[in-house]
Amino acid sequence: MSNVDSRRLVQKLWNYCDVLRDDGVSTIDYVEQLTYLLFLKMAHERAERVFKPEQIVPADLSWQTLLDREGVRLEVQYRNILSGLGQESGTLGTIFRKAQNKIQDPAKLKKLIVDLIDKEQWSQAGVDVKGDAYEELLAKGAEDAKSGAGQYFTPRALIEAIVDCVQPTPDDTITDPACGTGGFLLSAYDHIQRHHGDSLTRDQARHLANGGITGTELVDGTARLAAMNMLLHGIGTPSGPSLIDVRDSLGREPSSKVSLVLANPPFGRSSSIRMIGEDGRASREEREIERADFWATTSNKQLNFVQHIASMLEIDGRAAVVLPDNVLFEGGAGETIRRRLLKQYDLHTMLRLPTGIFYAGGVKANVLFFERKRAREEPWTSKLWVYDFRTNQHFTLKQNPLRREHLEEFVRDCYLPGKDRAERVESERFRAYDYDELLSRDKVNLDITWLKDASLEDADALLPPEVIAQEIVEDLQAALREFAAIADALTSRAAVNALPLQKSESRVPDANTTLQ
């Protein structure tokens, strides 16, 4: 029944998106407006309940004030609510920070409030119903190519497979330093509920709901989606502290250690800042991250996230991180980081991912699984097990999307969750490389392949022309993005050198925010 209710809710809300799109409201903007309104409606339901009523928002900024107004007065009150609640702290502040009304037609805003949201009892709906409905809305938003939101959306099938491998427990402290809309965090919570829900102690349940699962996100709009997503799934409280920290994860050392990190850091090679000169012109400059806890200084964003995540782990803590190929072979700082990771951590497994599973075209990525260990002279990585899920594997977002069962062989037969890794056995796609063999490779290059591409040897194995054409387009787009980044950096350096004085400096997110 919950699946039926969830689909009904999604369809009901999503149908109205087409109406608003004619007014210039993008898909991701629509989901944002739904987030504000759903929060207000749920807060209203909590305030009106007979048993333990809870006043989450001030009465003059409540849902009822929207129901009581029409026309321009409604639009003005909605703006007042967004502005007022954006000044609050905790979860309220995270969801409403810098919020803006994107629905300029008061009549359409009224219809969304009265006909589509007010008629549903969101607090009475089961967590699965409202949580699944919101997740599906986010997924639909990711499919909108024009919004650009989906290009950093982590496939749910991949998230679920990774979580099944690392097996989160009720006693874990779990975080994602680039959490996007919270996909990894929610999957970890769901895994714990399914496998330990019947045996959770009161302390464990309190730990999970109020600080045991947290995330960090750079972009306000994405952070609000994550905060709402977690609330709808029963994690955190509307009036409590925010479990999503809105800031640049790489900006400072972690304040506390965690036992499990799950992450898909944003794609894009370099971190950057934007400089505003006295003439008002903006320029961008590559930013090298220097931190005392880092092994190497670099502007490569993914290499910095590897170092940051390694630094976050407590002893025996574990991590699973989605990273692009350049992390495996880049020299200089990349080589230094790989050497340190292999020696001081147990980098035990790598899953090589196929193309065609991310909305960003041409992305070649991998999942690195590693654990932090106590200091010792001998290297902790004895064997790196590599599973090649890329060669001769072809997926598309529409016709042949990645499904959880596609990764079952890796999870069940190769990774062996919960079992001793000594029981692992090599297969056609699964091979082990010992520490000395890895260090002997040029620049400790971990870009390891051994399978032959069937399409290079057998013309009958070639992909259909339309698939080949799409892959070429994706590769060209990826190359153009790389060239654009280089050109942007060179232009920025020249502009910065030409400016006599910088009035201010602020961190501006790349378009590469991760929607999980």
Side-chain angles (χ1 to χ4, degrees), residues 158-201:
L158 177 60
I159 289 177
E160 291 169 0
I162 291 172
V163 169
D164 287 343
C165 286
V166 299
Q167 295 187 314
T169 73
D171 297 316
D172 272 318
T173 301
I174 305 166
T175 196
D176 181 346
C179 70
T181 58
F184 273 115
L185 303 176
L186 295 171
S187 184
Y189 182 76
D190 178 64
H191 185 278
I192 293 170
Q193 292 296 325
R194 284 187 287 109
H195 291 84
H196 306 279
D198 295 337
S199 60
L200 283 178
T201 67

Side-chain angles (χ1 to χ4, degrees), residues 192-235:
I192 293 170
Q193 292 296 325
R194 284 187 287 109
H195 291 84
H196 306 279
D198 295 337
S199 60
L200 283 178
T201 67
R202 181 176 297 179
D203 287 342
Q204 287 174 330
R206 188 180 297 114
H207 165 72
L208 290 173
N210 298 289
I213 300 178
T214 60
T216 304
E217 173 53 44
L218 175 63
V219 180
D220 287 300
T222 311
R224 81 173 95 257
L225 299 179
M228 189 65 183
N229 209 1
M230 292 179 73
L231 272 180
L232 291 172
H233 283 83
I235 311 174

Side-chain angles (χ1 to χ4, degrees), residues 211-451:
I213 300 178
T214 60
T216 304
E217 173 53 44
L218 175 63
V219 180
D220 287 300
T222 311
R224 81 173 95 257
L225 299 179
M228 189 65 183
N229 209 1
M230 292 179 73
L231 272 180
L232 291 172
H233 283 83
I235 311 174
T237 60
S239 56
S242 177
L243 302 180
I244 304 298
D245 195 3
V246 188
R247 62 178 175 84
D248 181 359
S249 287
L250 301 177
R252 63 174 185 258
E253 295 183 26
S255 57
S256 60
K257 304 294 185 183
V258 299
S259 62
L260 177 60
V261 177
L262 300 164
N264 177 9
F267 298 134
R269 290 177 58 84
S270 65
S271 301
S272 62
I273 56 176
R274 191 170 74 166
M275 311 288 288
I276 308 297
E278 282 193 334
D279 59 359
R281 294 174 58 190
S283 61
R284 296 175 71 86
E285 179 180 33
E286 285 191 6
R287 183 182 69 162
E288 290 190 338
I289 304 292
E290 290 190 55
R291 277 179 27 185
D293 59 328
F294 277 12
W295 299 318
T297 299
T298 175
S299 63
N300 183 302
K301 192 183 309 177
Q302 286 77 38
L303 289 174
N304 283 325
F305 265 106
V306 171
Q307 297 183 92
H308 178 68
I309 290 167
S311 181
M312 297 177 77
L313 292 176
E314 62 186 30
I315 300 301
D316 295 324
R318 57 210 193 279
V321 191
V322 181
L323 295 162
D325 278 9
N326 73 76
V327 169
L328 305 182
F329 57 74
E330 188 163 306
E335 180 181 353
T336 298
I337 292 166
R338 289 191 294 276
R339 287 182 181 275
R340 289 292 192 97
L341 195 63
L342 289 167
K343 187 176 191 302
Q344 299 177 16
Y345 291 68
D346 184 3
L347 176 57
H348 55 81
T349 310
M350 180 168 69
L351 169 63
R352 309 221 63 185
L353 297 172
T355 58
I357 65 172
F358 295 99
Y359 284 84
V363 170
K364 294 182 178 179
N366 316 267
V367 186
L368 269 58
F369 297 85
F370 56 90
E371 299 174 2
R372 184 171 193 171
K373 299 296 182 181
R374 289 176 173 79
R376 71 176 187 181
E377 286 299 319
E378 299 82 12
W380 275 106
T381 302
S382 58
K383 286 184 178 181
L384 170 61
W385 289 84
V386 182
Y387 186 87
D388 186 349
F389 189 54
R390 181 179 303 174
T391 307
N392 300 320
Q393 295 288 333
H394 300 284
F395 295 94
T396 59
L397 295 173
K398 296 290 187 182
Q399 288 80 15
N400 184 32
L402 179 71
R403 298 191 301 275
R404 173 61 183 82
E405 54 263 33
H406 291 135
L407 289 160
E408 185 60 20
E409 178 183 273
F410 167 70
V411 176
R412 183 192 62 228
D413 301 333
C414 298
Y415 193 96
L416 303 179
K419 296 183 179 179
D420 191 328
R421 286 194 286 274
E423 298 180 34
R424 289 179 172 181
V425 177
E426 289 192 340
S427 65
E428 180 185 14
R429 289 192 177 274
F430 197 45
R431 286 193 179 181
Y433 297 82
D434 62 33
Y435 178 79
D436 291 335
E437 187 175 2
L438 295 172
L439 254 63
S440 68
R441 295 173 60 87
D442 181 43
K443 298 179 182 178
V444 196
N445 187 336
L446 302 183
D447 188 15
I448 299 170
T449 58
W450 64 90
L451 293 175

